[in-house]
Amino acid sequence: MSWKTELPLIAILRGITPQEVADHVQTLLEAGFDAIEIPMNSPDWQQSIGDTVKKFGDRALIGAGTVLQPAQVEELAALGGQLVVTPNTQPAVIRRAVALGMTVCAGCATASEAFNALEAGAQALKIFPSVSFGPDYIKALKAVLPPQIPVFAVGGITPENLHLYLAAGCVGAGLGGDLYRAGQSVERTAQQAAAFVRAYKEATQ
């Protein structure tokens, strides 16, 4: 099963506000990103996601992170969001999102959680927090997972260590604080986005 975007790097814009989201997303798209996650614990996330879908929905896979309940999945679907990212393995959330035709990247840490997520219909997995487990753990976990399932490293991924997780078998990564921190400038976002894209290309050429 292939991931639905050209670049398997998910931009996590935790803490972004509706007033600034368009400029940062535009910058990320120009850098080559085409998967945008706005966590539900961001200010006025509904407005940010709704506005982003309207403006960029034809150019990127856009959705929410920190999705914890089926009701939140329905709220996201009503906004036009297509991507559901969870921090945990909650089958009810995954099943609802799949039933609504959304792409689910489910958070997991163990083999049991990973297989529970896949049984519920998740199309991709995120190992979270990846930096705490390390690439060797992910490589070992990948050995028992279906090879066609995309696995993303999330949590502590930097341009400097991205290649280690790709070498361990991850198709890509979710990028949080090293790509975007609440309140940072668009220039900083552009700088970090370019660094991540460069690191990805160097590791996969």
Side-chain angles (χ1 to χ4, degrees), residues 20 22-28 180 183-192:
E20 60 188 343
D23 288 342
H24 287 271
V25 172
Q26 177 72 42
T27 296
L28 288 164
Y180 174 82
Q184 78 179 25
S185 68
V186 173
E187 290 75 21
R188 173 68 177 169
T189 298
Q191 179 185 9
Q192 291 305 100

XYZ file of all heavy atoms in Angstrom, residues 20 22-28 180 183-192:
151
model
N -2.118 32.800 11.051
C -0.798 32.581 10.450
C -0.710 31.302 9.628
O 0.281 31.082 8.929
C 0.277 32.556 11.549
C 0.067 31.454 12.573
C 1.009 31.547 13.762
O 2.028 32.250 13.679
O 0.722 30.895 14.782
N -2.069 30.079 6.877
C -1.959 30.094 5.408
C -0.530 30.373 4.952
O -0.038 29.723 4.018
C -2.921 31.125 4.815
N 0.149 31.316 5.605
C 1.511 31.672 5.191
C 2.476 30.506 5.404
O 3.346 30.231 4.562
C 1.999 32.892 5.965
C 1.308 34.179 5.523
O 0.734 34.184 4.416
O 1.335 35.153 6.288
N 2.319 29.804 6.527
C 3.219 28.684 6.812
C 2.936 27.504 5.881
O 3.874 26.866 5.394
C 3.100 28.269 8.281
C 3.740 29.234 9.229
N 5.058 29.149 9.616
C 3.248 30.332 9.854
C 5.351 30.138 10.446
N 4.262 30.865 10.602
N 1.656 27.217 5.635
C 1.332 26.100 4.737
C 1.810 26.403 3.327
O 2.372 25.539 2.640
C -0.177 25.804 4.763
C -0.552 24.784 3.689
C -0.581 25.269 6.139
N 1.620 27.628 2.876
C 2.107 28.023 1.550
C 3.621 27.793 1.440
O 4.114 27.257 0.447
C 1.783 29.497 1.298
C 2.314 30.049 -0.022
C 1.544 29.530 -1.220
O 0.325 29.441 -1.176
N 2.247 29.172 -2.278
N 4.339 28.173 2.482
C 5.787 27.992 2.515
C 6.165 26.516 2.470
O 7.099 26.125 1.760
C 6.355 28.655 3.791
O 6.118 30.065 3.718
C 7.838 28.408 3.934
N 5.433 25.697 3.206
C 5.710 24.260 3.226
C 5.435 23.624 1.862
O 6.217 22.810 1.381
C 4.859 23.581 4.307
C 5.295 23.872 5.744
C 4.186 23.507 6.723
C 6.572 23.106 6.084
N 8.420 23.060 13.016
C 7.597 24.211 13.388
C 7.375 24.239 14.891
O 6.973 23.233 15.486
C 6.236 24.153 12.683
C 5.305 25.253 13.157
C 5.399 26.537 12.627
C 4.373 25.024 14.166
C 4.588 27.569 13.092
C 3.557 26.046 14.640
C 3.674 27.315 14.098
O 2.874 28.331 14.568
N 4.564 30.121 17.006
C 5.029 31.491 17.038
C 6.266 31.775 16.206
O 6.672 32.935 16.077
N 6.860 30.749 15.610
C 8.077 31.013 14.840
C 7.748 31.715 13.523
O 6.606 31.690 13.053
C 8.860 29.721 14.585
C 8.330 28.836 13.483
C 9.185 27.581 13.286
O 9.875 27.126 14.206
N 9.150 27.006 12.105
N 8.763 32.309 12.925
C 8.582 33.067 11.698
C 8.398 32.149 10.500
O 8.820 30.988 10.510
C 9.788 33.968 11.457
O 10.943 33.180 11.167
N 7.807 32.693 9.453
C 7.676 31.950 8.202
C 9.058 31.643 7.634
O 9.270 30.578 7.040
C 6.821 32.759 7.201
C 6.801 32.090 5.832
C 5.400 32.921 7.725
N 9.983 32.554 7.820
C 11.354 32.343 7.333
C 11.990 31.118 7.999
O 12.689 30.331 7.351
C 12.210 33.581 7.597
C 11.854 34.789 6.752
C 10.570 35.485 7.197
O 10.153 35.301 8.362
O 9.967 36.193 6.360
N 11.747 30.954 9.291
C 12.264 29.792 10.011
C 11.619 28.504 9.482
O 12.301 27.488 9.300
C 11.993 29.946 11.511
C 12.342 28.735 12.358
C 13.831 28.483 12.427
N 14.142 27.360 13.307
C 15.327 26.789 13.394
N 16.337 27.235 12.662
N 15.538 25.776 14.203
N 10.323 28.559 9.229
C 9.635 27.396 8.668
C 10.236 27.023 7.313
O 10.482 25.841 7.024
C 8.132 27.667 8.530
O 7.570 27.917 9.833
C 7.402 26.490 7.907
N 10.485 28.026 6.480
C 11.075 27.775 5.157
C 12.454 27.146 5.285
O 12.800 26.198 4.558
C 11.162 29.087 4.371
N 13.246 27.648 6.218
C 14.606 27.146 6.432
C 14.581 25.677 6.867
O 15.321 24.835 6.341
C 15.290 27.997 7.502
C 16.700 27.578 7.856
C 17.258 28.414 9.010
O 16.541 29.183 9.649
N 18.532 28.262 9.288
N 13.731 25.359 7.830
C 13.659 23.988 8.347
C 13.048 23.039 7.324
O 13.469 21.889 7.205
C 12.877 23.963 9.662
C 13.602 24.644 10.817
C 14.992 24.061 11.038
O 16.002 24.633 10.609
N 15.052 22.896 11.670
